[in-house]
Amino acid sequence: MVLFRRSGAAVEVLLTRPGGPYWRRKDIGAWQIPKGAVEPGEAPIDAAFREVEEELGVRPEGTPHPLGRIRQLGGKIVEAFAIEAPFEPAELVSMHFEMEWPPRSGRTERFPEVEEARWFTIEAARERMLPSQMPLLDRLEEGLSAGGW
């Protein structure tokens, strides 16, 4: 789900930096939209709302706009939607996951799914976003410029 807001004449998008040791020191190319797997029997739009709630701790209200599907570098297909919704990054409450860390140590550690969330202008988002998700920004801009959102 691409959360966006209008700030004067500019449009800003909310991006998240994943939690866990792999993403800890990453910045450029690491930021992404809240997303996740569609559960069996679940509609993609319902999964999008659920994932935002799991990753940010809030359920956005409003009308989502379909942005279509993209294929990420690893082959994962993402069906995305855009929604104009407020969110205060300081109020981030993310679910956690467990994994063996360090590798082959036999120890399990907990990490937040999302370490940080931040609003970016579309231009700034293009500098930091996971490259395979950038087409979603183009589609958001197209939808906004066509009006009706």
Side-chain angles (χ1 to χ4, degrees):
M1 181 85 71
V2 178
L3 276 71
F4 70 94
R5 69 181 184 185
R6 299 164 210 260
S7 180
V11 173
E12 296 177 325
V13 293
L14 186 81
L15 298 180
T16 62
R17 188 173 52 81
Y22 175 75
W23 299 100
R24 186 167 286 142
R25 291 183 174 86
K26 300 205 184 306
D27 184 39
I28 304 299
W31 293 82
Q32 47 196 284
I33 65 169
K35 63 166 184 28
V38 177
E39 300 294 332
E42 185 178 39
I45 187 63
D46 295 330
F49 275 108
R50 177 182 49 76
E51 287 294 335
V52 169
E53 193 167 6
E54 289 177 0
E55 294 186 9
L56 301 179
V58 298
R59 183 175 180 89
E61 294 182 17
T63 303
H65 305 280
L67 296 176
R69 293 181 178 172
I70 59 165
R71 180 182 302 274
Q72 293 190 166
L73 186 59
K76 183 179 195 175
I77 301 294
V78 175
E79 185 169 350
F81 303 86
I83 190 165
E84 187 168 10
F87 178 73
E88 179 53 55
E91 296 175 8
L92 172 69
V93 178
S94 179
M95 290 184 62
H96 286 72
F97 67 94
E98 292 185 350
M99 67 180 284
E100 182 180 14
W101 190 257
R104 297 176 293 286
S105 68
R107 295 192 326 237
T108 301
E109 285 202 38
R110 284 175 44 95
F111 300 96
E113 283 193 36
V114 169
E115 185 74 32
E116 183 179 3
R118 197 183 306 169
W119 289 102
F120 293 93
T121 63
I122 290 179
E123 296 77 28
R126 288 186 195 284
E127 295 173 6
R128 289 225 166 83
M129 190 173 199
L130 192 67
S132 58
Q133 291 183 3
M134 283 191 212
L136 298 174
L137 298 179
D138 297 332
R139 295 175 189 177
L140 173 66
E141 285 185 308
E142 289 167 11
L144 291 170
S145 67
W149 291 15

